Short mmCIF file of all heavy atoms in Angstrom, two decimals:
data_model
loop_
_atom_site.label_atom_id
_atom_site.label_comp_id
_atom_site.label_asym_id
_atom_site.label_seq_id
_atom_site.Cartn_x
_atom_site.Cartn_y
_atom_site.Cartn_z
N SER A 1671 -3.55 23.98 -10.28
CA SER A 1671 -4.23 23.46 -11.47
C SER A 1671 -5.75 23.51 -11.28
O SER A 1671 -6.26 23.40 -10.16
CB SER A 1671 -3.75 22.02 -11.68
OG SER A 1671 -4.58 21.36 -12.57
N ASP A 1672 -6.47 23.67 -12.39
CA ASP A 1672 -7.94 23.65 -12.32
C ASP A 1672 -8.47 22.24 -12.09
O ASP A 1672 -9.54 22.03 -11.55
CB ASP A 1672 -8.55 24.15 -13.65
CG ASP A 1672 -8.18 25.59 -13.89
OD1 ASP A 1672 -7.88 26.28 -12.90
OD2 ASP A 1672 -8.17 26.00 -15.07
N LYS A 1673 -7.71 21.28 -12.58
CA LYS A 1673 -8.10 19.87 -12.42
C LYS A 1673 -7.49 19.35 -11.13
O LYS A 1673 -6.35 19.68 -10.79
CB LYS A 1673 -7.55 19.04 -13.57
CG LYS A 1673 -8.45 19.04 -14.78
CD LYS A 1673 -9.34 17.82 -14.70
CE LYS A 1673 -10.42 17.84 -15.75
NZ LYS A 1673 -11.71 17.45 -15.25
N GLY A 1674 -8.21 18.50 -10.42
CA GLY A 1674 -7.67 17.92 -9.21
C GLY A 1674 -7.98 18.80 -8.00
O GLY A 1674 -8.67 19.82 -8.11
N PHE A 1675 -7.47 18.39 -6.84
CA PHE A 1675 -7.82 19.02 -5.57
C PHE A 1675 -6.57 19.63 -4.95
O PHE A 1675 -5.62 18.91 -4.61
CB PHE A 1675 -8.43 17.98 -4.63
CG PHE A 1675 -9.44 17.10 -5.32
CD1 PHE A 1675 -9.32 15.72 -5.28
CD2 PHE A 1675 -10.49 17.64 -6.05
CE1 PHE A 1675 -10.22 14.89 -5.93
CE2 PHE A 1675 -11.41 16.83 -6.72
CZ PHE A 1675 -11.26 15.46 -6.66
N TRP A 1676 -6.58 20.95 -4.82
CA TRP A 1676 -5.36 21.66 -4.40
C TRP A 1676 -5.67 22.68 -3.32
O TRP A 1676 -6.74 23.30 -3.33
CB TRP A 1676 -4.72 22.38 -5.61
CG TRP A 1676 -4.43 21.44 -6.72
CD1 TRP A 1676 -5.24 21.19 -7.80
CD2 TRP A 1676 -3.30 20.57 -6.86
NE1 TRP A 1676 -4.66 20.23 -8.61
CE2 TRP A 1676 -3.47 19.83 -8.05
CE3 TRP A 1676 -2.16 20.36 -6.09
CZ2 TRP A 1676 -2.55 18.89 -8.48
CZ3 TRP A 1676 -1.23 19.43 -6.52
CH2 TRP A 1676 -1.43 18.70 -7.71
N PHE A 1677 -4.72 22.88 -2.43
CA PHE A 1677 -4.84 23.94 -1.43
C PHE A 1677 -3.44 24.46 -1.15
O PHE A 1677 -2.54 23.70 -0.82
CB PHE A 1677 -5.49 23.40 -0.14
CG PHE A 1677 -6.04 24.48 0.75
CD1 PHE A 1677 -7.35 24.93 0.59
CD2 PHE A 1677 -5.24 25.08 1.71
CE1 PHE A 1677 -7.85 25.94 1.39
CE2 PHE A 1677 -5.74 26.09 2.51
CZ PHE A 1677 -7.05 26.52 2.36
N ALA A 1678 -3.26 25.77 -1.31
CA ALA A 1678 -1.93 26.37 -1.13
C ALA A 1678 -1.51 26.28 0.34
O ALA A 1678 -2.35 26.32 1.24
CB ALA A 1678 -1.97 27.83 -1.56
N PRO A 1679 -0.19 26.18 0.61
CA PRO A 1679 0.26 26.21 2.01
C PRO A 1679 -0.19 27.53 2.64
O PRO A 1679 -0.04 28.60 2.03
CB PRO A 1679 1.78 26.12 1.91
CG PRO A 1679 2.13 26.41 0.49
CD PRO A 1679 0.94 26.09 -0.34
N THR A 1680 -0.74 27.45 3.84
CA THR A 1680 -1.41 28.62 4.42
C THR A 1680 -1.05 28.77 5.89
O THR A 1680 -0.94 27.77 6.61
CB THR A 1680 -2.95 28.41 4.31
OG1 THR A 1680 -3.28 28.32 2.91
CG2 THR A 1680 -3.74 29.54 4.93
N ILE A 1681 -0.87 30.03 6.31
CA ILE A 1681 -0.76 30.28 7.76
C ILE A 1681 -1.84 31.28 8.18
O ILE A 1681 -2.27 32.12 7.37
CB ILE A 1681 0.63 30.83 8.17
CG1 ILE A 1681 1.00 32.09 7.39
CG2 ILE A 1681 1.70 29.78 8.05
CD1 ILE A 1681 2.27 32.78 7.89
N PHE A 1682 -2.25 31.15 9.43
CA PHE A 1682 -3.16 32.13 10.03
C PHE A 1682 -2.44 32.75 11.23
O PHE A 1682 -1.98 32.02 12.12
CB PHE A 1682 -4.44 31.46 10.53
CG PHE A 1682 -5.48 31.28 9.47
CD1 PHE A 1682 -5.61 30.06 8.82
CD2 PHE A 1682 -6.33 32.31 9.12
CE1 PHE A 1682 -6.58 29.88 7.84
CE2 PHE A 1682 -7.30 32.15 8.13
CZ PHE A 1682 -7.42 30.93 7.49
N THR A 1683 -2.33 34.07 11.24
CA THR A 1683 -1.78 34.76 12.42
C THR A 1683 -2.95 35.40 13.18
O THR A 1683 -4.07 35.44 12.68
CB THR A 1683 -0.76 35.84 12.01
OG1 THR A 1683 -1.34 36.64 10.98
CG2 THR A 1683 0.52 35.23 11.49
N GLY A 1684 -2.64 35.89 14.38
CA GLY A 1684 -3.69 36.52 15.20
C GLY A 1684 -4.72 35.49 15.67
O GLY A 1684 -5.89 35.81 15.87
N VAL A 1685 -4.29 34.25 15.83
CA VAL A 1685 -5.22 33.20 16.26
C VAL A 1685 -5.26 33.17 17.79
O VAL A 1685 -4.23 33.32 18.44
CB VAL A 1685 -4.74 31.81 15.74
CG1 VAL A 1685 -5.65 30.70 16.21
CG2 VAL A 1685 -4.63 31.83 14.22
N THR A 1686 -6.45 33.01 18.34
CA THR A 1686 -6.57 32.87 19.80
C THR A 1686 -7.08 31.47 20.12
O THR A 1686 -7.57 30.76 19.24
CB THR A 1686 -7.54 33.90 20.41
OG1 THR A 1686 -8.87 33.51 20.04
CG2 THR A 1686 -7.25 35.31 19.92
N GLN A 1687 -7.00 31.15 21.41
CA GLN A 1687 -7.42 29.82 21.87
C GLN A 1687 -8.88 29.54 21.53
O GLN A 1687 -9.27 28.39 21.37
CB GLN A 1687 -7.27 29.73 23.39
CG GLN A 1687 -5.87 29.82 23.88
CD GLN A 1687 -5.15 28.50 23.68
OE1 GLN A 1687 -4.65 28.21 22.60
NE2 GLN A 1687 -5.11 27.69 24.69
N ALA A 1688 -9.67 30.61 21.44
CA ALA A 1688 -11.10 30.42 21.23
C ALA A 1688 -11.43 30.08 19.77
O ALA A 1688 -12.51 29.56 19.48
CB ALA A 1688 -11.85 31.69 21.64
N HIS A 1689 -10.51 30.37 18.85
CA HIS A 1689 -10.80 30.13 17.44
C HIS A 1689 -10.94 28.65 17.13
O HIS A 1689 -10.17 27.82 17.64
CB HIS A 1689 -9.68 30.72 16.56
CG HIS A 1689 -9.69 32.21 16.49
ND1 HIS A 1689 -8.61 32.94 16.07
CD2 HIS A 1689 -10.65 33.11 16.79
CE1 HIS A 1689 -8.90 34.23 16.10
NE2 HIS A 1689 -10.13 34.35 16.54
N ARG A 1690 -11.87 28.33 16.24
CA ARG A 1690 -12.03 26.91 15.85
C ARG A 1690 -10.77 26.39 15.19
O ARG A 1690 -10.43 25.22 15.34
CB ARG A 1690 -13.23 26.75 14.91
CG ARG A 1690 -14.54 26.54 15.67
CD ARG A 1690 -15.71 26.40 14.74
NE ARG A 1690 -15.66 25.18 13.94
CZ ARG A 1690 -16.44 24.96 12.87
NH1 ARG A 1690 -17.33 25.86 12.51
NH2 ARG A 1690 -16.34 23.84 12.20
N ILE A 1691 -10.05 27.25 14.43
CA ILE A 1691 -8.84 26.76 13.77
C ILE A 1691 -7.69 26.49 14.75
O ILE A 1691 -6.68 25.93 14.38
CB ILE A 1691 -8.35 27.71 12.63
CG1 ILE A 1691 -8.13 29.13 13.16
CG2 ILE A 1691 -9.29 27.67 11.44
CD1 ILE A 1691 -7.37 30.00 12.18
#
Side-chain angles (χ1 to χ4, degrees):
S1671 165
D1672 296 337
K1673 274 266 171 224
F1675 315 125
W1676 304 95
F1677 198 89
T1680 299
I1681 55 172
F1682 276 98
T1683 49
V1685 178
T1686 72
Q1687 295 282 83
H1689 287 163
R1690 272 179 67 193
I1691 56 167

